[in-house]
């Protein structure tokens, strides 16, 4: 790792493999001998098309998505999917349940309310969004078109340890644990997430849409908002975010070389366990506010005995080369986001810093 790289625990955009950053920098001025950079060429050029189509096939390979899922690269982030999902799936008047498990589940529900007939299949608001429901906690109305879940709530720092086991298809916002756990395809009709948490820079959502959803979507939608458009045009219906897709392509190759989703899953479990272990063995100095069974493997939130100590922790951490450790502005505290590309050395350094800080201030 070059000396000038900090330990970047940002919740999104995420730290990326330094090898990917270096390759992008080296290849930027003259892409494959074309005499121009990739971001200056036509998105219809053969050189770009190679990158684009390879990205789609890398996604299928890594996720093992079955053939009846269309893989789409759509601008607007995960946020646009909050609207596109109900627009494409609820136009015939069907209703859908939403699991409101935190800030992101709440936003998905709020957008869906403006589009279709939706209800809350569960709400964690009473507990302050510190745990996830199990299947038995869900209130799923018969005939629901889908149930929307957020697999990992990035701000609350909670994850669904198991996906719900219900008769209704799931739609999953997997932004912040994307490709860090297997996706059980038979349960899902749509899976989506912004690239910038685990897979690349901001600028694109990666969306998996089951063929039956494409077939049912209304004809009346504006073209960009219809999944059918992105399916039929191989996500080239308009100018795609070429730099983001190129960078994501390199991250996906890095993931494949690193052992794919199963290796990412194992590493995330081990690394988060080390940080939680530091919290749990600190004699109460550090405290995790979330239900132990639902602790996120990606976004580890914790508190110190006082807000003053939290401020000292954060300023000393920053001086020691740790960036982006403050919790989300809506909840405070500390949040260490340990996405796929986080180097092990940064986790080692954080654990050591935490132990040392507790010994000096506990
Ligand atoms: C960051 C995030 C979003 C929003 O993603 P954008 O790509 O910025 O729109 C949605 N859901 C979850 C779980 C997130 O972590």
């Amino acid at each position: 790792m070059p000396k000038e790289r900090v330990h970047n625990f940002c919740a999104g955009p995420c730290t990326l493999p330094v090898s990917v950053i270096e390759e992008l920098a080296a290849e930027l001025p003259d892409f494959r001998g074309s005499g121009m950079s990739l971001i200056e060429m036509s998105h219809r050029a053969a050189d770009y098309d190679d990158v684009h189509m390879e990205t789609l096939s890398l996604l299928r390979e890594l996720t093992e998505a079955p053939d009846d899922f269309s893989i789409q690269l759509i601008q607007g982030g995960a946020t646009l999917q909050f609207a596109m999902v109900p627009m494409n799936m609820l136009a015939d008047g069907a209703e859908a349940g939403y699991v409101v498990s935190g800030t992101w589940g709440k936003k998905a529900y709020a957008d869906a309310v403006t589009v279709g007939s939706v209800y809350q299949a569960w709400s964690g608001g009473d507990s302050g969004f510190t745990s996830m429901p199990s299947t038995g906690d869900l209130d799923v109305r018969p005939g629901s078109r889908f149930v929307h879940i957020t697999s990992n709530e990035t701000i609350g720092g909670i994850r669904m340890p198991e996906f719900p086991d219900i008769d209704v298809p799931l739609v999953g916002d997997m932004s912040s644990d994307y490709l860090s756990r297997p996706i059980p395809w038979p349960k899902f009709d749509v899976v989506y997430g912004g690239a910038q948490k685990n897979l690349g820079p901001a600028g694109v959502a990666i969306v998996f849409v089951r063929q039956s959803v494409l077939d049912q979507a209304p004809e009346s939608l504006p073209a960009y908002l219809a999944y059918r458009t992105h399916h039929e045009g191989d996500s080239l219906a308009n100018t795609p975010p070429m730099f983001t897709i190129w960078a994501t392509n390199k991250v996906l190759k890095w993931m494949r070389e690193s052992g794919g989703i199963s290796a990412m899953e194992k590493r995330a479990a081990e690394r988060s366990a080390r940080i939680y272990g530091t919290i749990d063995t600190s004699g109460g100095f550090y405290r995790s506010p979330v239900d132990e069974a639902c602790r996120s493997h990606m976004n580890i939130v914790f508190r110190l005995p006082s807000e003053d100590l939290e401020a000292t922790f954060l300023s000393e951490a920053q001086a020691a080369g740790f960036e982006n450790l403050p919790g989300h502005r809506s909840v405070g505290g500390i949040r260490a986001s340990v996405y796929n590309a986080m180097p092990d050395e940064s986790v080692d350094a954080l654990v050591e810093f935490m132990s040392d800080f507790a010994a000096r201030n506990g």
Side-chain angles (χ1 to χ4, degrees):
M1 190 164 72
K3 270 215 178 56
E4 67 272 19
R5 296 278 291 178
V6 294
H7 302 297
N8 181 7
F9 287 89
C10 193
C14 61
T15 195
L16 294 174
V18 68
S19 60
V20 167
I21 302 290
E22 284 169 348
E23 272 181 44
L24 290 168
E27 294 172 25
L28 186 64
D30 177 14
F31 186 73
R32 297 184 185 169
S34 64
M36 58 186 136
S37 71
L38 173 129
I39 54 176
E40 297 167 296
M41 65 179 52
S42 166
H43 58 292
R44 310 285 174 201
D47 278 338
Y48 176 71
D49 201 60
D50 283 351
V51 172
H52 188 92
M53 299 313 287
E54 185 185 49
T55 308
L56 294 173
S57 66
L58 283 163
L59 283 165
R60 192 173 301 279
E61 178 188 331
L62 282 163
T63 61
E64 296 175 33
D67 285 345
D68 76 322
F69 277 86
S70 165
I71 305 181
Q72 312 191 349
L73 308 170
I74 306 178
Q75 301 196 52
T79 299
L80 183 61
Q81 295 311 306
F82 296 163
M84 280 180 69
V85 163
M87 285 176 141
N88 281 266
M89 297 179 77
L90 297 181
D92 60 359
E95 65 174 357
Y98 275 68
V99 174
V100 180
S101 50
T103 306
W104 294 114
K106 224 157 88 179
K107 287 197 180 193
Y109 177 70
D111 262 11
V113 165
T114 70
V115 174
S117 173
V118 295
Y119 62 92
Q120 298 196 5
W122 187 78
S123 170
D126 294 345
S127 75
F129 300 123
T130 55
S131 76
M132 285 283 190
S134 47
T135 300
D137 301 327
L138 300 181
D139 168 26
V140 180
R141 298 188 191 159
S144 297
R145 174 66 188 83
F146 64 85
V147 167
H148 181 282
I149 61 165
T150 309
S151 54
N152 183 77
E153 284 282 358
T154 322
I155 293 174
I158 49 174
R159 77 192 284 258
M160 278 189 173
E162 311 281 349
F163 293 109
D165 204 6
I166 54 178
D167 294 336
V168 169
L170 296 176
V171 169
D173 174 1
M174 295 195 69
S175 296
S176 54
D177 60 4
Y178 230 5
L179 276 60
S180 74
R181 65 195 295 182
I183 302 170
W185 292 108
K187 288 180 188 271
F188 284 95
D189 266 7
V190 174
V191 172
Y192 66 88
Q196 75 278 10
K197 300 286 163 55
N198 241 339
L199 303 177
V204 77
I206 294 164
V207 188
F208 296 84
V209 185
R210 196 183 280 281
Q211 184 69 43
S212 53
V213 174
L214 300 175
D215 296 342
Q216 282 165 17
E219 297 290 344
S220 57
L221 286 181
Y224 196 84
L225 299 177
Y227 288 129
R228 199 183 295 112
T229 304
H230 302 283
H231 173 67
E232 287 168 359
D234 286 326
S235 301
L236 281 162
N238 71 335
T239 321
M242 297 159 73
F243 183 85
T244 292
I245 292 168
W246 181 35
T248 301
N249 176 293
K250 289 186 180 298
V251 174
L252 294 172
K253 284 183 182 155
W254 168 88
M255 264 191 70
R256 184 170 64 182
E257 283 156 25
S258 309
I261 289 183
S262 60
M264 298 296 132
E265 182 180 36
K266 187 159 165 279
R267 217 156 69 105
E270 284 167 6
R271 302 198 302 186
S272 59
R274 290 186 54 212
I275 301 175
Y276 289 118
T278 309
I279 293 168
D280 292 342
T281 57
S282 68
F285 183 77
Y286 298 113
R287 186 172 51 81
S288 161
V290 305
D291 177 3
E292 198 170 331
C294 301
R295 287 173 166 183
S296 172
H297 291 183
M298 293 281 134
N299 313 99
I300 297 135
V301 300
F302 57 95
R303 306 296 313 227
L304 274 67
S306 69
E307 292 192 2
D308 280 352
L309 269 173
E310 286 174 351
T312 309
F313 178 94
L314 289 170
S315 68
E316 286 190 19
Q318 191 167 34
F322 298 92
E323 289 290 336
N324 293 309
L325 279 173
H328 190 267
R329 59 188 187 281
S330 63
V331 293
I334 319 291
R335 173 175 54 173
S337 295
V338 184
Y339 292 119
N340 289 349
M342 174 63 72
D344 285 340
E345 304 87 78
S346 294
V347 177
D348 296 344
L350 178 66
V351 163
E352 195 185 318
F353 177 84
M354 286 173 68
S355 302
D356 178 63
F357 188 88
R360 286 187 287 111
N361 295 278

